Amino acid sequence: MARDLAGGAGGGRYPGQPGASPGTLRIPLPAPVGTRPGAARAVCRPAAHRLRGAAGATRRQGARLVAAAQAPWHRAPAGPPPGPADMNRLLPAGLLRLAQPYPWVVPLLALLGVLASMAEGLGIGLLIPVLDTVLGATPATSAAGPLAGYLAAAVDWIPADYRLPLLGGMIFLLIAVKTVLLISHARVAAWVNGRVAHDQRVLVASSLLESDYAYVSRLDQGQVISLFEQQSERAGEAMSLLCTLLATVSTVLVFTVLLALLSWQLTLVVAAVVLPVSLFVRTMTRRSRRLGEALVQTWAGLSTRILELVTSLRTVRLFGAEQAEVERLAAASNATRRAALRTGFAISMTQPLVELFYIPVFLAVLAVALRLGIGLPVLFAFLALLYRLQSPLKRLDHVRVELAAYAVTLRDLARLLDEAAARPAPSGSRPAPPLRAQVAFEQVSFRYTGGAAVPALDGVSLQIRRGEVVALVGASGSGKSTLVNLLCRLYEPERGRILVDGQPLAELDVASWRQRLAFAGQDSDLMAGTVRENITLGCPEATPDQIDQALRLASASDFVSALPGGLDAEVGPRGSNLSGGQRQRIALARAFIRQPELLILDEATSAVDNVTEAEIQLAIEALAGRTTILLIAHRLGTLRMAGRVIVLEAGRVAEQGTPAELLAADGLLARQHALE
Ligand SMILES: Nc1ncnc2c1ncn2[C@@H]1O[C@H](COP(=O)(O)OP(=O)(O)OP(=O)(O)O)[C@@H](O)[C@H]1O
Ligand SMILES: [Mg+2]
């Protein structure tokens, strides 16, 4: 299912997904394309950095998140993926990681929870002196704990006449304080939930753009989309559950202490029943985790199917596969529905089952209290506290089971972020200086991971001299695009090296090297957004004059001005509002506007008509001499403008020379074109 993330159809974008489209900052220095090669480079910035801005995160926040994601304590273990035994560790570690950018959240929520429970517990405790006053009873039997005594002493100073209204007012006040604290708790929890989901989306985006291309291009697109959508959202939910857990644990702890202070004997009775319940919940937790795993997997499967369907609407119709596609989607959707049903059922079943255990608790407490002769006010307060403790206890079990279902989500997110962090896009440190003499391949071999056993490039040696127009030809699959991929440093050679003016490409800073290149290919890879945004993708500060000139060079001016809105016309998802040849011309303009030192055209005019191609050729020929051009083309007409032709065959250089020389000799090129 793995498909090239950048190159494959679909590319992981949904229609309507906002494209990165920051306003362009223009510098008031019109410069004719091809005359001031340094100017555009000086203002061009890598598009990857704009993503964080588009996602609404400030640069500082982005840096902090990335730092958090790369903190050494949660670096991915290099070994195999974690098995079920690791899951117990995974959940707390995963939650800690989500909370790491917000170190104050956990203590704050715990504090709010403790304070709220203390306010409520104290309010309930005050019922003892209230009942004492009402019943005129002598407080605190010997069997009762110290709390009743403290409370009696504390209210002793209140004159008997005022005692009831004053105590009533205090109870009301305490419950009001508890309410305000719990509302604040809920607000913080909701905020951190949204924040965490947002963080995960931004982190996944930066991981995809900043880690090794060879790694990300092999990821399953459905899984990646699921990480962006459901799993990020679920991470937020897990965080929110952690907040609930904190509040609940605080209440349980505070109430347990208060119960023990009221009567340790009765508290022991309660504990004797709660412990087996806890064991039962452990079993449910394990089951819930397994079901959660299945749910995440089915979601990823469904995302893949949705992506395939949305990006293949035309193909499916043309091949009459509508029914089959709907059925495949329905099957994936049904699997998700069933998995969600099972998980939901397991979670919701816990609470009613646990409730069964609580009925005997009340009966046992009553019986023991009678035997010990505990006074009515204390027993009443104890039962009231116990009654109030019941729902946090139930919630505690419920949250434990529910959280377990999120462990897989946290593991999958952490796995992608860790793996991406462990595979940063390779780059040297030296800024790439302007090209002076040549780029040379020295015995370069390359094999795609997961690809065929035979290398895509096998001991390739060649030179591209400054200002030269070199054409690269060869049969389909002979390694032309692979060579370009290595030259652009999307992949690293397995053996051999690439030298730029004698310096290994591996030692150069990759961003500064790419600033000297521009690429236009066969799949023009437009992004949803306007024509203008697509053209200025690699050069956001381009002036209107520069845009005009680039459009003219690419023979695109006429059709762009005829579009509704002109430069501001929407190209649609992946450029689907335009024809293939129009898309290619926008992609060419996008390359020209960068005023590159090295222009790489990988069958960049394969979809345009002959007349337009001839126009574009003229433009390219005008650049020759000042710009180094690497052309991949099949048509003889295109090859003739090259100073040198290099013929690849099965990943090796088969022959090279001027077009005239090669056509005159009885080589591969001559034979191929004899067929034309
Ligand atoms: N992402 C990939 N993963 C695995 N194998 C790949 C990948 N891309 C290309 N290959 C393989 O590498 C070899 C060279 O492919 P490449 O794309 O360089 O050919 P090409 O000369 O550009 O062909 P075409 O003229 O069809 O574009 C082919 O055998 C191809 O199957
Ligand atoms: Mg190719």
Side-chain angles (χ1 to χ4, degrees):
M1 217 54 261
R3 237 171 35 178
D4 196 302
L5 262 177
R13 296 173 69 86
Y14 277 148
Q17 185 179 327
S21 57
T24 51
L25 258 176
R26 295 190 186 127
I27 49 161
L29 277 174
V33 173
T35 55
R36 299 180 55 246
R41 277 192 304 280
V43 295
C44 294
R45 226 173 273 134
H49 290 286
R50 294 195 275 156
L51 194 126
R52 285 194 202 120
T58 64
R59 191 173 298 165
R60 234 179 61 223
Q61 181 216 353
R64 183 165 47 81
L65 284 172
V66 172
Q70 292 171 352
W73 60 270
H74 49 47
R75 269 273 161 78
D86 297 324
M87 293 302 268
N88 286 336
R89 251 184 331 100
L90 258 167
L91 186 62
L95 288 170
L96 208 62
R97 174 184 190 143
L98 295 183
Q100 208 199 13
Y102 313 101
W104 49 270
V105 161
V106 168
L108 175 70
L109 290 184
L111 182 72
L112 286 175
V114 167
L115 290 178
S117 320
M118 279 171 69
E120 181 173 8
L122 217 60
I124 294 175
L126 284 180
L127 286 177
I128 299 174
V130 169
L131 285 175
D132 281 342
T133 313
V134 172
L135 301 173
T138 37
T141 61
S142 58
L147 185 62
Y150 297 151
L151 288 169
V155 300
D156 219 25
W157 58 273
I158 309 173
D161 289 350
Y162 299 111
R163 204 169 282 173
L164 270 186
L166 214 65
L167 284 174
M170 277 166 75
I171 291 174
F172 178 79
L173 205 70
L174 283 167
I175 301 302
V177 166
K178 176 209 98 163
T179 308
V180 170
L181 288 172
L182 282 190
I183 290 173
S184 318
H185 189 283
R187 272 205 74 133
V188 176
W191 180 87
V192 80
N193 170 352
R195 220 44 238 197
V196 161
H198 164 82
D199 288 353
Q200 298 310 301
R201 287 190 288 263
V202 175
L203 279 173
V204 171
S206 343
S207 294
L208 291 180
L209 287 176
E210 283 160 23
S211 63
D212 188 9
Y213 181 76
Y215 163 68
V216 291
S217 62
R218 286 191 300 119
L219 293 173
D220 181 315
Q221 290 192 350
Q223 264 171 15
V224 170
I225 289 184
S226 166
L227 286 178
F228 265 119
E229 295 183 343
Q230 293 88 30
Q231 308 316 329
S232 292
E233 210 53 40
R234 278 172 68 82
E237 288 162 18
M239 191 64 200
S240 166
L241 275 176
L242 174 70
C243 299
T244 311
L245 190 69
L246 281 173
T248 314
V249 168
S250 313
T251 312
V252 170
L253 285 179
V254 170
F255 277 25
T256 309
V257 170
L258 290 176
L259 283 177
L261 286 174
L262 275 179
S263 165
W264 62 267
Q265 297 94 329
L266 293 185
T267 309
L268 275 185
V269 173
V270 175
V273 184
V274 169
L275 282 182
V277 174
S278 184
L279 287 178
F280 164 72
V281 171
R282 270 184 79 89
T283 343
M284 296 299 290
T285 310
R286 249 175 260 138
R287 190 173 136 73
S288 166
R289 202 156 47 208
R290 269 201 317 277
L291 292 171
E293 178 139 32
L295 181 61
V296 168
Q297 268 166 11
T298 53
W299 258 121
L302 180 60
S303 294
T304 306
R305 287 263 52 88
I306 291 173
L307 182 70
E308 298 289 329
L309 183 91
V310 169
T311 54
S312 317
L313 292 178
R314 203 170 93 110
T315 316
V316 169
R317 276 167 206 245
L318 293 184
F319 287 85
E322 295 94 335
Q323 185 64 25
E325 267 307 301
V326 170
E327 276 165 17
R328 283 168 80 179
L329 186 106
S333 170
N334 229 345
T336 312
R337 181 187 64 81
R338 269 189 252 121
L341 186 69
R342 276 195 289 269
T343 315
F345 184 62
I347 290 171
S348 58
M349 170 168 109
T350 319
Q351 197 145 331
L353 281 178
V354 165
E355 255 169 47
L356 271 181
F357 286 91
Y358 286 108
I359 300 154
V361 179
F362 278 93
L363 298 175
V365 165
L366 270 181
V368 175
L370 278 178
R371 278 192 73 93
L372 293 174
I374 290 173
L376 194 61
V378 173
L379 180 62
F380 187 82
F382 190 93
L383 285 179
L385 268 180
L386 195 60
Y387 180 74
R388 292 292 302 149
L389 181 59
Q390 195 188 312
S391 86
L393 265 183
K394 277 190 296 194
R395 206 178 319 130
L396 191 64
D397 299 332
H398 191 74
V399 169
R400 274 169 63 198
V401 175
E402 211 174 331
L403 256 180
Y406 286 86
V408 188
T409 286
L410 301 190
R411 179 200 63 187
D412 287 355
L413 275 166
R415 191 186 283 170
L416 175 82
L417 298 182
D418 288 339
E419 285 180 356
R423 294 172 180 75
S427 175
S429 53
R430 214 176 311 153
L435 185 65
R436 279 182 290 108
Q438 65 169 19
V439 180
F441 278 60
E442 272 186 1
Q443 290 297 323
V444 171
S445 295
F446 177 78
R447 203 186 308 259
Y448 286 97
T449 318
V454 289
L457 289 184
D458 190 4
V460 168
S461 296
L462 53 85
Q463 291 85 36
I464 303 163
R465 288 184 277 276
R466 178 167 177 255
E468 202 183 12
V469 178
V470 174
L472 199 58
V473 298
S476 181
S478 58
K480 306 178 297 290
S481 299
T482 304
L483 192 142
V484 167
N485 285 342
L486 293 182
L487 183 61
C488 298
R489 231 184 146 191
L490 289 171
Y491 297 92
E492 300 293 300
E494 192 179 285
R495 277 201 310 278
R497 53 187 192 158
I498 303 170
L499 298 170
V500 180
D501 288 333
Q503 295 188 44
L505 177 58
E507 288 173 13
L508 297 183
D509 169 63
V510 73
S512 72
W513 169 240
R514 289 196 191 130
Q515 288 290 322
R516 306 205 170 272
L517 315 174
F519 171 85
Q522 182 172 22
D523 304 320
S524 37
D525 287 336
L526 297 194
M527 295 161 88
T530 63
V531 171
R532 186 196 312 277
E533 283 163 0
N534 272 286
I535 293 177
T536 59
L537 178 75
C539 195
E541 280 91 0
T543 64
D545 280 352
Q546 287 173 322
I547 297 178
D548 274 356
Q549 194 144 11
L551 281 173
R552 244 177 295 129
L553 282 173
S555 292
S557 302
D558 290 349
F559 92 81
V560 168
S561 49
L563 290 174
L567 274 171
D568 294 313
E570 291 285 335
V571 303
R574 297 190 61 77
S576 60
N577 294 351
L578 303 177
S579 77
Q582 288 172 338
R583 280 200 293 271
Q584 283 197 336
R585 281 181 277 166
I586 300 289
L588 268 173
R590 180 170 72 183
F592 287 141
I593 206 168
R594 277 165 70 90
Q595 304 180 3
E597 285 176 21
L598 177 53
L599 179 64
I600 303 168
L601 304 173
D602 186 351
E603 298 182 44
T605 52
S606 57
V608 300
D609 62 85
N610 287 343
V611 177
T612 314
E613 194 184 22
E615 279 171 30
I616 297 171
Q617 266 179 35
L618 283 179
I620 296 172
E621 272 170 294
L623 291 178
R626 282 166 297 164
T627 307
T628 312
I629 300 170
L630 179 63
L631 273 177
I632 298 177
H634 290 297
R635 295 183 206 170
L636 203 53
T638 316
L639 298 186
R640 287 198 194 280
M641 71 185 211
R644 201 150 51 88
V645 178
I646 300 173
V647 184
L648 285 186
E649 190 186 19
R652 296 170 158 274
V653 176
E655 58 192 29
Q656 53 176 312
T658 64
E661 279 166 18
L662 292 185
L663 289 171
D666 185 26
L668 261 178
L669 190 73
R671 262 176 280 141
Q672 191 185 337
H673 282 285
L675 296 175
E676 265 188 11

